[in-house]
């Protein structure tokens, strides 16, 4: 299940926890609304039209939520 968390001031990161409890980031967003829309889309919420805009894909693999 995808969730979002504030990873630093002004930045929300969408991702999930793998079975070992490691945080796996998927994308970064500057506001809660965009992060929540992305989470809903990734978790299978039925939507009309294209998927929500993905502001920035995460390239790091070691992000730690705060």
């Amino acid at each position: 299940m995808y969730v979002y968390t504030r990873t630093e001031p002004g930045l929300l990161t969408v991702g999930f926890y793998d079975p070992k409890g490691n945080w796996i980031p998927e994308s970064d967003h500057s506001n809660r609304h965009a992060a929540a829309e992305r989470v809903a889309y990734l978790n299978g919420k039925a939507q009309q039209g294209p998927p929500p805009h993905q502001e920035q894909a995460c390239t790091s693999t070691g992000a730690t939520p705060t």
Side-chain angles (χ1 to χ4, degrees), residues 16-42:
F16 66 95
Y17 291 95
D18 71 12
K20 293 183 178 181
N22 299 309
W23 173 247
I24 309 298
E26 191 274 338
S27 59
D28 291 321
H29 303 271
S30 59
N31 65 71
R32 185 177 287 179
H33 179 76
E37 281 189 347
R38 185 69 180 157
V39 165
Y41 174 77
L42 291 169

Side-chain angles (χ1 to χ4, degrees), residues 5-64:
T5 186
R6 184 169 309 280
T7 49
E8 59 185 69
L11 183 69
L12 296 144
T13 300
V14 171
F16 66 95
Y17 291 95
D18 71 12
K20 293 183 178 181
N22 299 309
W23 173 247
I24 309 298
E26 191 274 338
S27 59
D28 291 321
H29 303 271
S30 59
N31 65 71
R32 185 177 287 179
H33 179 76
E37 281 189 347
R38 185 69 180 157
V39 165
Y41 174 77
L42 291 169
N43 286 331
K45 177 183 174 192
Q47 294 190 3
Q48 294 179 348
H53 174 68
Q54 184 172 335
E55 292 187 23
Q56 179 182 354
C58 289
T59 56
S60 67
T61 57
T64 304

